[in-house]
Amino acid sequence: MIAPGIVPVGLAALALGTCTAAMAAEERANYFDDPFLQVTSAIADCPPQQEPLITQAEMRAQAHVRAERGTSCYLSGRCRLPNAYLYDKEIIPRVKKAILADGRFAETSIWVEGRRRWVWLKGCVRTRADAHALERLVRDIDDVESVIDELAVKKR
């Protein structure tokens, strides 16, 4: 008989192993390697944006949908590559290059993320007009299908 409050060593080891496995399962990572870059950093009080991190369970849940969405672009004739996600690693560096070359966005803190030819604009701009101009600039880049504006306005 085990005294009250005493946990058998085997049971404690099992509990520890279960907790460790649960923590590993909840580890968040960019499993699909979606491109994510900081482009500018002029607004000091702009909160840092988070990389697209998901758990392994979320990765498994998204895998089929991503495969279907990625190939449907090609099958419908809207993409020349066999999967829409194949464009992202090329698009996001071009977005960064375009933003920096434009010159109007030096006083911003912008991060960009790409998924299936869609570009997410995150971070902070000084005015809503800056956000609109940035969205138009990115929308005109080859192979960009859509632009999602998640920018906040931070005045001086």
Side-chain angles (χ1 to χ4, degrees):
M1 179 169 190
I2 300 172
I6 304 292
V7 178
V9 173
L11 187 56
L14 178 62
L16 179 61
T18 302
C19 289
T20 303
M23 286 173 37
E26 290 303 310
E27 182 178 328
R28 301 176 74 76
N30 187 353
Y31 290 108
F32 293 110
D33 201 23
D34 293 327
F36 178 78
L37 298 174
Q38 183 169 9
V39 179
T40 61
S41 59
I43 301 176
D45 63 338
C46 184
Q49 301 300 301
Q50 297 300 311
E51 186 175 0
L53 304 177
I54 57 175
T55 65
Q56 287 186 356
E58 291 168 324
M59 175 191 65
R60 286 188 295 278
Q62 292 178 20
H64 176 75
V65 172
R66 288 174 70 106
E68 185 176 351
R69 282 186 181 158
T71 56
S72 66
C73 179
Y74 178 74
L75 295 173
S76 69
R78 291 178 296 131
C79 292
R80 58 185 160 70
L81 299 178
N83 189 306
Y85 292 94
L86 296 175
Y87 291 84
D88 299 332
K89 285 186 178 36
E90 180 189 323
I91 288 174
I92 294 304
R94 285 192 285 130
V95 168
K96 179 177 181 176
K97 185 177 179 178
I99 292 169
L100 294 174
D102 185 277
R104 292 180 288 172
F105 307 107
E107 294 299 313
T108 63
S109 288
I110 299 168
W111 289 258
V112 293
E113 177 184 336
R115 272 183 276 150
R116 76 175 186 277
R117 299 175 52 212
W118 290 25
V119 176
W120 277 257
L121 301 173
K122 301 178 176 192
C124 305
V125 293
R126 293 290 182 201
T127 67
R128 186 55 30 206
D130 285 344
H132 294 307
L134 182 58
E135 185 177 346
R136 281 189 305 275
L137 173 72
V138 173
R139 183 166 278 121
D140 287 341
I141 295 172
D142 285 343
D143 297 321
V144 172
E145 183 178 337
S146 187
V147 179
I148 293 85
D149 175 355
E150 294 184 356
L151 297 164
V153 174
K154 290 270 190 178
K155 301 194 186 278
R156 294 177 197 244

